[in-house]
Amino acid sequence: MRAYVVRTGSGKWSASWEEYPEPACPRDGVVVEPRAAALAWSDVLQQEGGYVGAVPDPPFVSGHEFAGAIVEAGPDAGFAVGERVFGFLPRPAAFADRVAASSRFVRRIPDELTDIDAAAITTSFLTADVGLFTVGGLVPGQSVLVHAAAGGVGRSAIQLARASGIDTVVATAGSAARQAEAAALGATHVTGYEEFPELVREVTAGRGIDVALESVGGEVFDRTAEVMAPLGRLVTIGASSGTPPRRLKLPFLWQRSVTVGGLHVANLLAGSPDLLEDSWQRVRRLLVKGELDAGVGLVVDRDGIPSAAQALRGRTVSGRVVIDFSARDTRPLP
Ligand SMILES: NC(=O)c1ccc[n+]([C@@H]2O[C@H](COP(=O)([O-])OP(=O)(O)OC[C@H]3O[C@@H](n4cnc5c(N)ncnc54)[C@H](OP(=O)(O)O)[C@@H]3O)[C@@H](O)[C@H]2O)c1
């Protein structure tokens, strides 16, 4: 089969399409022929050797999120050949002609969703939902601050907050155009990474924000901690700036009655998928009713992975990047 394989040589990491052994079908799982797969910034970092976190030793097949049709099912799979499914793999292997997955990591695609949309929803919506409601404890009547609102997780968070009756959604993004996109998705107040403390104080009459979903890190995290309301919950999910939060000291939390929480959706999916069930059900219900936009900002074909990675690097993509596998590639490999 063809697969987008990450290799190292002379200390350099690279990734390209090549012939690769087909995966075996697990007893408790399926083999899927992907029609679409999502390219996340973390996939790009894994392809380049810059990912902070666990990565398999190269060579390995890139990609975690996919959607497609089952071509083989194990005896204990609970799925049948031909069913449309989407999934998330804790260990990368999704950018390939065949993907093997335990049934724990696979779900049926509702008829209302396209394969392209289904490939894009798992990390964005689960991270946003678990972050806002399970870790953040957000309830109607409270206010929320969503950073990096034009990104995949940010877009999902704005929509989920509004769909659950949150009236004050403050959002940040890196340009006026991206702030306008956040407003179009339902953010009630939009601003930049420098200016948000002032806006939060203004819209909350000085009280501060109840829940913040923070993914930028560095100074943005520090400034966010300063604008939390009493008993506010600051949920840290990443550090897109490349600088993880470092300065916050624990006494700050008790002096200000603030809670800091975190989550790692891939680890939860791998180890405790039951804890995600409420979020899955909520997201599915809203998607099926057409109340959420899956947030696909760019669709490329198989050859478009490097240019899509470049677009993610340049922060020119709003929402998720999806690779459209629907046209089978029969050209000879180089
Ligand atoms: N903990 C978890 O389980 C989990 C799961 C998924 C994602 N994450 C993390 O959540 C964050 C968002 O993920 P995503 O999938 O939404 O990513 P994404 O679509 O690539 O969006 C990230 C956004 O961050 C903004 N950003 C702000 N400062 C940046 C900087 N210095 N460099 C690059 N981008 C910067 C950019 O928007 P502007 O240009 O508008 O600023 C960019 O669009 C990432 O840090 C990711 O690692 C965590």
Side-chain angles (χ1 to χ4, degrees):
M1 68 167 188
R2 281 158 197 258
Y4 200 67
V5 180
V6 180
R7 290 189 177 276
T8 47
S10 325
K12 281 188 67 181
W13 290 57
S14 61
S16 59
W17 288 102
E18 57 179 74
E19 278 301 323
Y20 205 75
E22 285 203 15
C25 184
R27 276 192 71 81
D28 72 336
V30 293
V31 175
V32 175
E33 189 176 278
R35 292 174 183 154
L39 177 76
W41 178 234
S42 51
D43 295 316
V44 177
L45 292 175
Q46 290 181 8
Q47 291 163 10
E48 296 173 347
Y51 185 69
V52 181
V55 185
D57 288 334
F60 65 89
V61 176
S62 184
H64 292 267
E65 282 179 83
F66 63 94
I70 294 175
V71 290
E72 200 178 337
D76 305 328
F79 287 97
V81 170
E83 285 190 287
R84 288 173 71 226
V85 292
F86 68 110
F88 179 94
L89 304 169
R91 190 186 155 87
F95 301 169
D97 285 342
R98 296 271 190 282
V99 172
S102 160
S103 297
R104 288 190 299 146
F105 306 132
V106 170
R107 287 180 174 258
R108 289 180 179 86
I109 302 177
D111 290 343
E112 294 81 355
L113 284 192
T114 64
D115 296 326
I116 298 281
D117 284 350
I121 57 180
T122 305
T123 36
S124 292
F125 281 100
L126 277 188
T127 307
D129 195 277
V130 176
L132 292 179
F133 304 113
T134 310
V135 182
L138 182 65
V139 290
Q142 296 186 332
S143 58
V144 66
L145 169 64
V146 177
H147 285 303
V153 176
R155 297 174 72 93
S156 306
I158 291 173
Q159 295 184 74
L160 288 169
R162 292 313 307 266
S164 67
I166 304 300
D167 294 329
T168 304
V169 180
V170 182
T172 62
S175 68
R178 289 160 84 77
Q179 290 163 23
E181 287 171 25
L185 281 166
T188 53
H189 305 82
V190 292
T191 185
Y193 299 112
E194 301 276 339
E195 304 85 353
F196 74 86
E198 209 177 307
L199 182 62
V200 165
R201 290 191 187 101
E202 190 186 312
V203 302
T204 62
R207 203 180 146 269
I209 209 84
D210 292 309
V211 175
L213 192 64
E214 207 296 285
S215 60
V216 179
E219 290 182 2
V220 174
F221 179 92
D222 295 336
R223 286 199 278 275
T224 305
E226 290 293 341
V227 296
M228 298 308 298
L231 296 184
R233 285 85 64 200
L234 198 178
V235 184
T236 168
I237 59 164
S240 294
S241 64
T243 310
R246 284 198 193 105
R247 289 227 305 261
L248 190 71
K249 301 276 189 292
L250 286 184
F252 177 93
L253 304 182
W254 70 66
Q255 282 154 6
R256 301 282 284 271
S257 304
V258 167
T259 299
V260 174
L263 72 137
H264 194 289
V265 154
N267 289 350
L268 287 169
L269 276 165
S272 317
D274 295 354
L275 298 179
L276 302 172
E277 198 51 38
D278 285 354
S279 288
W280 268 125
Q281 294 308 334
R282 183 166 33 230
V283 168
R284 185 184 192 285
R285 204 165 45 244
L286 291 167
L287 279 165
V288 165
K289 278 163 69 184
E291 289 188 22
L292 301 176
D293 180 285
V296 177
L298 176 66
V299 180
V300 297
D301 65 17
R302 289 162 177 260
D303 296 331
I305 296 177
S307 62
Q310 195 53 37
L312 282 169
R313 190 175 292 110
R315 293 159 75 171
T316 56
V317 183
S318 296
R320 305 301 314 276
V321 174
V322 175
I323 308 157
D324 184 351
F325 281 61
S326 58
R328 290 283 108 191
D329 195 345
T330 51
R331 289 171 296 170
L333 285 160

